[in-house]
Amino acid sequence: MWLSCGNRPRFTLLVDNAYTMHSARQGPIGIARRWVVHLLAGLCLLLSSPGASAVDLKTIQSYAGHLLTPLEFSAALTLWTKESGWRVNARNGSHYGLCQGRSKYMATANYRQQVRWCISYAYNRYGSMALALKHWRRYGWH
């Protein structure tokens, strides 16, 4: 039996008669890692930044979650929480928005535009959100 988790068709599991989960790309260890990522992402959503409005925060994170795989969303969750606390109006010198992009566009962009810009930046510069997070952890910036 195939199960699709939520609105994310890219995350599909195969459950056999012994209720063992399998994935076409990853074995049981990969499945366990994904479950941990889901649990941590859910915990982060519950304990989100108090500086942002709960409605706005939920809307922004929901939009980002629909554009990214669970693993990539988990990386974005960590990055953007550290960078801006998920505030679209965050500013640090010449850096603006969710991912503190160095672009005047980010100063006036709405949350959807910012999410797409941040994802595009991470993929073009690092190859993925997970690799952008790895760079951030190593150097303290991305």
Side-chain angles (χ1 to χ4, degrees):
M1 162 176 33
W2 287 95
L3 299 174
S4 182
C5 299
N7 293 329
R8 294 180 176 86
R10 291 174 278 191
F11 182 63
T12 305
L13 300 174
L14 175 63
V15 180
D16 64 14
N17 289 339
Y19 298 102
T20 305
M21 292 180 288
H22 304 278
S23 171
R25 286 191 259 167
Q26 297 179 341
I29 293 173
I31 296 298
R33 285 184 187 140
R34 285 199 171 206
W35 279 107
V36 169
V37 167
H38 280 281
L39 290 172
L40 291 175
L43 181 61
C44 287
L45 287 172
L46 290 173
L47 303 173
S48 58
S49 166
S53 167
V55 174
D56 293 329
L57 182 66
K58 185 175 180 180
T59 301
I60 296 166
Q61 289 180 344
S62 176
Y63 181 69
H66 288 327
L67 297 177
L68 298 166
T69 64
L71 182 62
E72 296 292 297
F73 177 72
S74 177
L77 190 65
T78 302
L79 272 174
W80 299 345
T81 299
K82 299 283 187 183
E83 292 288 330
S84 67
W86 286 83
R87 292 176 293 118
V88 294
N89 60 349
R91 182 174 180 190
N92 183 12
S94 62
H95 297 80
Y96 303 93
L98 287 174
C99 62
Q100 294 293 285
R102 193 171 187 188
S103 168
K104 294 280 185 182
Y105 170 77
M106 293 291 281
T108 59
N110 65 35
Y111 78 91
R112 288 176 181 255
Q113 294 167 324
Q114 286 194 24
V115 167
R116 288 192 306 267
W117 189 94
C118 293
I119 291 170
S120 177
Y121 173 80
Y123 276 82
N124 288 325
R125 180 155 181 156
Y126 302 102
S128 71
M129 292 300 296
L131 291 173
L133 177 60
K134 182 178 178 180
H135 183 275
W136 183 86
R137 285 184 173 147
R138 186 170 190 181
Y139 299 105
W141 61 273
H142 81 287

